[in-house]
């Protein structure tokens, strides 16, 4: 398979922080929309981008809570957005378009992970696929005219190394049978990458480039809030992400990062001039990830975080086009 997954030698490392990636970059006059930009990695990205001069709109289901979390960061506003509610997504996009501002960066960052039991939204769609992918797909389409008006825009989807363990379940994407919360999460993260690949193919001619950014493994980002707390603790301990006292283990070289390090690849995707002529790629550790052409299908758990390079099914152009068409049908259903 012909692909673009070739590291570019960015000069940054797995240990680089968002502030280090943005050093010397002036984002004055640039407009950013970020989902979930008030917690976890999103909060770190919002802060770093705003401090570099960007005007940032944070989409949140809880605007009051988001406003409180973002207090003291200049250049940030909050607008209500529920990624499981199509009218809420349309209303958010309409408010932004009505403002008349071009959109230079859209960070599709919010997400949920691994509910213990199958949960469906009002349309009957599995909630991780619906939140992590489909809601962002609808939002991106809704903001297309603002992205085009920027005359040079980027769409960044926050993904995960979990994409290695699950392709799209084309015949049963909503897990009517055989539900496994971690597989459903992995499917949604694969969708994030395929979405970036096809977006770049379709929209690069309009000056809009797509990226999937893997931040690494960061403990305490609120991503696992849908899982029982005891299950999260046990999983983190088993994977070596925390020590016996529950403190995060930081080892960027093996993917275990601080929130500031985790946000770095997201803002690298959003702003780095090194990517001006590159799009439709999966990024990790502040660079383009190499392709793991022969991944071990049985690698999971603790071993998975040691091998986070992108895999073929996540960037397959035929799958990317198929997912786009499926997503359009699901939005119309």
């Amino acid at each position: 398979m012909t692909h673009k997954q070739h590291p570019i030698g960015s000069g940054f490392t797995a240990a680089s922080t968002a502030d280090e990636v943005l050093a010397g970059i002036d984002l004055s006059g640039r407009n950013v929309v970020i989902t979930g930009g008030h917690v976890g990695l999103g909060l770190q990205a919002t802060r770093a981008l705003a401090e570099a001069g960007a005007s940032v709109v944070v989409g949140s289901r809880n605007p009051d809570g988001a406003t409180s979390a973002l207090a003291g960061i200049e250049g940030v506003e909050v607008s209500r957005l529920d990624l499981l509610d199509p009218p809420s997504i349309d209303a958010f996009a309409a408010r932004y378009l009505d403002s008349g501002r071009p959109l230079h960066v859209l960070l599709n960052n919010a997400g949920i992970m691994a509910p213990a039991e199958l949960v469906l939204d009002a349309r009957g769609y599995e909630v991780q696929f619906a939140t992590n992918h489909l809601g962002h797909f609808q939002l991106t389409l809704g903001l297309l005219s603002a992205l085009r008006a920027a005359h040079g825009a980027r769409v960044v989807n926050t993904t995960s190394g979990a994409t290695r363990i699950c392709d799209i379940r084309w015949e049963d994407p909503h897990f009517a049978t055989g539900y496994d919360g971690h597989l459903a999460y992995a499917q949604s993260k694969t969708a994030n990458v395929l979405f970036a690949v096809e977006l770049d193919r379709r929209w690069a001619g309009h000056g809009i480039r797509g990226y999937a950014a893997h931040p690494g493994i960061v403990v305490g980002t609120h991503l696992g809030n849908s899982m029982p707390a005891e299950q999260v603790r046990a999983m983190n301990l088993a994977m070596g992400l925390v020590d016996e006292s529950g403190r995060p283990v930081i080892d960027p070289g093996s993917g275990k990062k601080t929130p500031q390090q985790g946000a770095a690849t997201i803002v690298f995707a959003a702003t780095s001039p090194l990517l001006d002529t590159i799009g439709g790629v999966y990024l990790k550790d502040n660079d383009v990830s190499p392709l793991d052409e022969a991944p071990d299908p049985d690698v999971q758990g603790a071993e998975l975080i040691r091998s986070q390079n992108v895999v073929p099914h996540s960037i397959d152009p035929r799958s990317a086009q198929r997912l786009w068409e499926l997503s359009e049908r699901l939005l119309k259903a």
Side-chain angles (χ1 to χ4, degrees), residues 19-36:
D19 289 338
E20 290 169 345
V21 166
L22 286 168
I25 295 178
D26 183 2
L27 299 179
S28 300
R30 298 280 175 167
N31 299 314
V32 177
V33 166
I34 178 170
T35 64

Side-chain angles (χ1 to χ4, degrees), residues 12-244:
F12 299 109
T13 71
S16 298
T17 66
D19 289 338
E20 290 169 345
V21 166
L22 286 168
I25 295 178
D26 183 2
L27 299 179
S28 300
R30 298 280 175 167
N31 299 314
V32 177
V33 166
I34 178 170
T35 64
H38 60 293
V39 294
L41 299 177
L43 176 58
Q44 297 300 325
T46 296
R47 179 196 54 76
L49 292 165
E51 289 180 355
S55 297
V56 184
V57 178
V58 172
S60 172
R61 288 181 300 174
N62 179 6
D64 290 340
T67 299
S68 177
L70 295 163
I73 305 177
E74 296 184 2
V76 178
E77 62 183 274
V78 177
S79 185
R80 187 181 186 281
L81 173 65
D82 184 343
L83 290 167
L84 282 177
D85 181 11
S88 173
I89 298 170
D90 288 342
F92 178 97
R95 287 193 300 273
Y96 190 88
L97 297 182
D98 287 347
S99 75
R101 292 172 287 181
L103 180 57
H104 301 90
V105 178
L106 171 59
L107 295 178
N108 291 322
N109 170 75
I112 58 174
M113 183 176 73
E117 304 294 334
L118 175 63
V119 180
L120 304 177
D121 72 3
R123 298 166 292 185
Y125 299 163
E126 192 274 322
V127 293
Q128 293 179 90
F129 187 80
T131 300
N132 300 350
H133 167 62
L134 197 59
H136 285 127
F137 181 81
Q138 179 183 345
L139 176 65
T140 305
L141 295 185
L143 292 170
L144 175 57
S145 61
L147 291 164
R148 294 183 67 172
H151 302 293
R154 298 186 183 187
V155 177
V156 180
N157 300 331
T158 301
T159 186
S160 164
T163 184
R164 296 173 61 90
I165 64 174
C166 187
D167 199 350
I168 305 300
R169 290 176 33 136
W170 298 107
E171 305 307 317
D172 185 18
H174 303 301
F175 285 81
T177 61
Y179 176 74
D180 179 301
H182 294 288
L183 286 181
Y185 176 72
Q187 174 186 243
S188 74
K189 296 290 100 178
T190 294
N192 293 153
V193 187
L194 292 172
F195 176 25
V197 170
E198 181 65 4
L199 181 151
D200 196 79
R201 186 188 74 83
R202 289 175 179 245
W203 293 358
H206 300 296
I208 305 168
R209 307 308 301 260
Y211 306 90
H214 172 38
I217 309 297
V218 182
V219 174
T221 64
H222 299 272
L223 180 61
N225 281 1
S226 57
M227 301 168 61
E230 190 55 42
Q231 181 183 348
V232 173
R233 284 192 292 270
M235 180 183 70
N236 287 342
L237 185 61
M239 293 181 68
L241 303 179
V242 298
D243 61 22
E244 292 291 343

Side-chain angles (χ1 to χ4, degrees), residues 200-313:
D200 196 79
R201 186 188 74 83
R202 289 175 179 245
W203 293 358
H206 300 296
I208 305 168
R209 307 308 301 260
Y211 306 90
H214 172 38
I217 309 297
V218 182
V219 174
T221 64
H222 299 272
L223 180 61
N225 281 1
S226 57
M227 301 168 61
E230 190 55 42
Q231 181 183 348
V232 173
R233 284 192 292 270
M235 180 183 70
N236 287 342
L237 185 61
M239 293 181 68
L241 303 179
V242 298
D243 61 22
E244 292 291 343
S245 64
R247 291 173 297 191
V249 174
I250 305 302
D251 181 11
S254 67
K256 306 169 187 177
K257 301 184 180 183
T258 68
Q260 294 82 5
Q261 292 167 340
T265 301
I266 297 171
V267 301
F268 176 81
T271 65
S272 177
L274 298 174
L275 298 174
D276 283 348
T277 61
I278 304 170
V281 289
Y282 173 109
L283 307 172
K284 71 159 204 171
D285 296 339
N286 306 298
D287 206 332
V288 178
S289 167
L291 177 66
D292 185 352
E293 299 195 52
D296 183 343
D298 296 322
V299 171
Q300 297 187 33
E303 289 298 318
L304 177 65
I305 68 175
R306 297 188 180 95
S307 53
Q308 297 177 48
N309 295 337
V310 70
V311 291
H313 72 246

